[in-house]
Amino acid sequence: MNPSASKAQSTSTISYTVTFPEAQAHYADIEMHVSGLKQNILDLKMPVWTPGSYLVREFAKNIESFSAEVGGKLVASPKINKNTWRIAAKGVSEVTVKYRVYANEISVRTSYIDVSHGFLSTSGIFIYPANMLHQPSTIHIKPYKGWDKVSTSLEMVNGDPFTRVSPNYDILFDSPIEVGNQDVFGFDVSGVKYEVCMYGGGNYDKERLTKDLHNIVEHEAAIFGENPNKHYVFIVHNHLKGGGGLEHLSSTVLGASRDAYANEKGYQGFLSLAAHEHFHLWNVKRLRPIVLGPFDYDNENYTTNLWIAEGFTEYYQGIVVNRTKLYPTENYLDVLAGEFNILENLPGRNVQTVAESSFDAWIKAYRPNENSNNTTISYYNKGAIVGMMLDLEIINDSKGKYSLDDVMKYMYTEYYKTKQRGYTDAEFKKGFEKFAGKKLDDFYKKYINGLTPVDYNSYLGYAGYKVVDELADTNEPALGVVTATTANRKIIVTNVIRGTAAYIDGINVNDELVSIDDNPITDATTMLNDKKVGDKIKVSIIRDGLPLTLPVTLLRNDKVKYKIVPIDNASPQQLLVRKKWLTL
Ligand SMILES: [Zn+2]
């Protein structure tokens, strides 16, 4: 930003009015008013992405009927690139802009409007004047008929829930707005007011959910030593089948399945998701990689540190739910073993480091294809495993004095509170080293920037646990494909797993599996029932409409299925590490 420009523009006031005259067709109509202009050109822009979801989504694609008026008369407002409209503003102090936004994508990171509610993912709703990201704005919401509530972390103006104020655009773009008839309830934690806003109904038990969320919120605040918000909003979208979450500074949006609350697995999944997104209010929203704020809303924002921002959050969602004793420890160990199984059964673990996975999120993680499992890993998954490794290493080396909690609290205090900026990769490494009491160059070389296989037992061993592979003694053959069955019962290959028989002998994605040794295939899960490892079989397929028979030599299914179990006769040191790791 040009400082002199910002000074000249500091008298501007910006307001928006949002109406829903065609909610049934998924539209919001926006009127923006800018006054106090003192510049020759006014460029109005829409972000191309929403922070927390690392993909350029081109929100401007949903804008239509853009017009600008000065003194009640239409003026030209040509687009000069994909997300910028330009207005000649010489001698003009006030401009009114009108546009419509089509909002028909159900996800936690995109806007959705119908007659039942309006969810405004603000980075895809509000355009902003270029170079004025620091400017406050006021948002007036005029709800569709019958809607009576607004849920957002943006503060009210004069106690009016339909008029909200944003101190600057970083906060506006980080404050989603829910408008409708949502079920709102809340609780207080040490002076912080929490609101839970449920859209879409559901079989949640309000009393139990309030108690459990309260518990989670309290434990997470204890890790960082403070809760920096005054007000925090959980916006929950309940659908027939829903999922996903997106973190914000003082709120989060969670996707859930409306009937999943009543079974323990579904309920635990929801609590873990809530724990995850809420943990982000510190980890990534405040304690953040240096490039993730102030944001560049026009381009990708690259960082190698999503294994901390997302992976550690994934790690802590499990640890926190475990520590709150909502479920037995064995349950948590199964969750953790599940993370190991994901990584160990992914051929991409031998191709992509966790730092590369983070950097390339924009082009790989959010744009998967049929070969992704062979070439990529998830920074959530390996990041969570790295979190566990460092946690156990620090607890063990400090003889139970410190844990990863201390690193997180120290980094939060040092970078967010004291230096008031993000951290670099080297700075976070120093934070780990401070509490581990040793250099971690070798660890980084192997596990962050390298492809060294994780020795689970050496880390779990610190806490007197080990993994056992429940499939170690099996000798079943596998073809090495993932398939989908079409409506007319065709079995189509959707993935070919690297290193397997199918990969080596040339079965391709999109091949239709027809028969094995002339026996028709009716079910991919049973097609090898009478086969053994080493058998040479004939797989008949249809590729691009033509029949083809491929000779295939069956190999052993090398999938692992780890379970974490306690070792016999754990030493006092191991028991001490275990206690520090899994309890408060
Ligand atoms: Zn996350």
Side-chain angles (χ1 to χ4, degrees):
M1 178 176 32
N2 175 340
S4 62
S6 92
K7 201 175 173 193
Q9 291 153 5
S10 62
T11 53
S12 297
T13 58
I14 304 168
S15 67
Y16 301 87
T17 302
V18 185
T19 55
F20 305 91
E22 291 192 321
Q24 85 286 353
H26 315 290
Y27 278 97
D29 285 33
I30 316 291
E31 185 171 319
M32 177 194 196
H33 191 74
V34 190
S35 63
L37 289 169
K38 290 175 184 167
Q39 60 205 84
N40 292 339
I41 287 171
L42 176 64
D43 281 345
L44 296 166
K45 302 173 72 73
M46 173 153 272
V48 302
W49 71 293
T50 192
S53 186
Y54 306 99
L55 176 68
V56 169
R57 291 180 192 275
E58 312 291 20
F59 296 120
K61 73 186 176 189
N62 295 319
I63 291 192
E64 59 187 80
S65 305
F66 191 101
S67 67
E69 292 172 19
V70 173
K73 286 192 180 136
L74 282 177
V75 295
S77 53
K79 280 190 91 169
I80 56 164
N81 62 32
K82 65 181 182 182
N83 64 328
T84 310
W85 291 258
R86 176 162 287 178
I87 298 165
K90 193 171 182 183
V92 168
S93 66
E94 292 189 30
V95 173
T96 300
V97 172
K98 295 175 184 170
Y99 59 94
R100 316 191 74 201
V101 182
Y102 180 65
N104 189 23
E105 189 179 348
I106 295 179
S107 86
V108 295
R109 56 183 86 90
T110 50
S111 298
Y112 181 83
I113 296 161
D114 68 12
V115 293
S116 71
H117 78 141
F119 171 63
L120 309 179
S121 181
T122 44
S123 54
I125 295 286
F126 298 107
I127 54 170
Y128 68 95
N131 303 320
M132 291 203 213
L133 284 169
H134 60 287
Q135 285 280 79
S137 56
T138 308
I139 297 103
H140 306 278
I141 309 268
K142 294 192 172 165
Y144 183 73
K145 62 183 176 199
W147 295 355
D148 60 3
K149 292 188 199 81
V150 171
S151 300
T152 176
S153 56
L154 294 172
E155 295 304 324
M156 295 182 205
V157 177
N158 300 326
D160 174 9
F162 299 100
T163 304
R164 304 281 177 154
V165 66
S166 166
N168 59 55
Y169 280 95
D170 285 324
I171 290 179
L172 179 59
F173 294 147
D174 213 0
S175 305
I177 302 170
E178 174 76 21
V179 197
N181 300 311
Q182 57 273 23
D183 180 18
V184 180
F185 51 99
F187 55 92
D188 281 25
V189 178
S190 332
V192 185
K193 197 173 149 29
Y194 277 79
E195 254 185 280
V196 183
C197 309
M198 291 283 193
Y199 161 77
N203 57 7
Y204 47 89
D205 172 342
K206 239 183 258 192
E207 203 175 313
R208 183 181 179 196
L209 186 57
T210 302
K211 189 168 138 277
D212 292 345
L213 284 177
H214 186 290
N215 211 346
I216 285 168
V217 162
E218 214 165 31
H219 278 74
E220 291 188 346
I223 292 168
F224 291 92
E226 68 166 18
N227 192 332
N229 285 304
K230 283 192 192 126
H231 176 209
Y232 186 94
V233 186
F234 286 99
I235 296 173
V236 186
H237 292 156
N238 293 298
H239 291 284
L240 176 64
K241 216 167 158 27
L246 188 62
E247 68 276 11
H248 297 284
L249 199 62
S250 309
S251 61
T252 180
V253 186
L254 310 177
S257 301
R258 65 171 70 92
D259 293 330
Y261 297 92
N263 71 71
E264 280 310 311
K265 199 160 178 265
Y267 186 63
Q268 189 184 355
F270 181 79
L271 290 180
S272 297
L273 177 66
H276 178 110
E277 301 306 335
H278 185 261
F279 192 82
H280 271 313
L281 82 83
W282 295 274
N283 192 29
V284 91
K285 294 316 311 183
R286 291 178 173 83
L287 170 61
R288 60 177 173 80
I290 196 145
V291 306
L292 294 185
F295 297 108
D296 176 347
Y297 292 106
D298 283 334
N299 298 290
E300 290 85 351
N301 293 225
Y302 296 103
T303 171
T304 58
N305 289 127
L306 294 179
W307 57 274
I308 299 170
E310 283 299 348
F312 282 22
T313 304
E314 182 91 353
Y315 174 62
Y316 270 101
Q317 75 178 49
I319 280 282
V320 166
V321 171
N322 174 64
R323 285 184 192 161
T324 51
K325 295 196 167 53
L326 297 171
Y327 293 93
T329 293
E330 291 68 36
N331 192 318
Y332 171 62
L333 295 176
D334 287 346
V335 168
L336 193 57
E339 297 279 9
F340 301 170
N341 292 332
I342 290 171
L343 184 66
E344 295 309 311
N345 290 322
L346 207 57
R349 76 188 181 285
N350 298 316
V351 179
Q352 190 186 48
T353 69
V354 77
E356 289 167 347
S357 166
S358 168
F359 194 87
D360 276 340
W362 301 87
I363 58 166
K364 294 192 177 182
Y366 279 92
R367 285 181 179 156
N369 66 15
E370 73 290 343
N371 202 37
S372 293
N373 287 349
N374 290 333
T375 60
T376 65
I377 57 161
S378 155
Y379 47 80
Y380 286 83
N381 169 237
K382 190 166 177 186
I385 294 170
V386 166
M388 176 211 76
M389 292 160 78
L390 285 166
D391 200 5
L392 284 167
E393 184 85 38
I394 291 165
I395 297 171
N396 189 63
D397 288 350
S398 67
K399 297 197 163 39
K401 193 168 171 205
Y402 302 121
S403 74
L404 189 59
D405 292 11
D406 296 282
V407 180
M408 300 308 283
K409 185 176 178 180
Y410 166 77
M411 293 300 290
Y412 174 76
T413 308
E414 189 73 7
Y415 288 90
Y416 171 67
K417 298 191 74 176
T418 308
K419 295 193 168 81
Q420 299 184 352
R421 64 168 173 83
Y423 55 80
T424 65
D425 190 52
E427 285 164 347
F428 216 112
K429 178 165 168 280
K430 278 212 176 92
F432 292 129
E433 290 171 341
K434 183 179 166 69
F435 292 93
K438 65 182 182 192
K439 287 280 187 194
L440 290 171
D441 298 60
D442 190 49
F443 185 94
Y444 267 65
K445 203 171 141 203
K446 284 179 173 162
Y447 304 115
I448 309 302
N449 300 309
L451 299 168
T452 304
V454 178
D455 179 358
Y456 297 102
N457 283 340
S458 81
Y459 288 93
L460 290 173
Y462 293 147
Y465 287 109
K466 65 176 180 182
V467 288
V468 289
D469 177 8
E470 293 180 325
L471 299 177
D473 298 330
T474 59
N475 195 28
E476 300 295 325
L479 195 53
V481 293
V482 179
T483 60
T485 305
T486 66
N488 52 359
R489 311 299 302 161
K490 288 181 178 176
I491 297 171
I492 308 292
V493 175
T494 55
N495 301 89
V496 176
I497 303 162
R498 180 175 289 188
T500 62
Y503 184 94
I504 293 165
D505 292 323
I507 292 175
N508 285 185
V509 165
N510 293 329
D511 286 350
E512 179 192 342
L513 299 181
V514 177
S515 67
I516 288 178
D517 293 338
D518 300 322
N519 295 314
I521 300 170
T522 52
D523 180 350
T525 61
T526 57
M527 65 186 171
L528 297 179
N529 269 1
D530 60 340
K531 306 295 179 198
K532 295 192 303 298
V533 175
D535 282 357
K536 293 182 191 313
I537 61 173
K538 282 188 305 172
V539 180
S540 296
I541 61 167
I542 293 177
R543 180 178 295 170
D544 189 27
L546 302 175
L548 189 66
T549 296
L550 298 168
V552 172
T553 304
L554 289 175
L555 302 176
R556 179 180 177 269
N557 185 346
D558 65 355
K559 279 203 165 177
V560 299
K561 191 178 173 202
Y562 286 137
K563 189 167 176 63
I564 300 173
V565 295
I567 60 166
D568 296 332
N569 308 317
S571 70
Q573 160 92 3
Q574 286 171 318
L575 293 175
L576 178 134
V577 171
R578 183 185 297 179
K579 187 160 182 276
K580 177 81 175 172
W581 180 36
L582 295 174
T583 53
L584 273 178

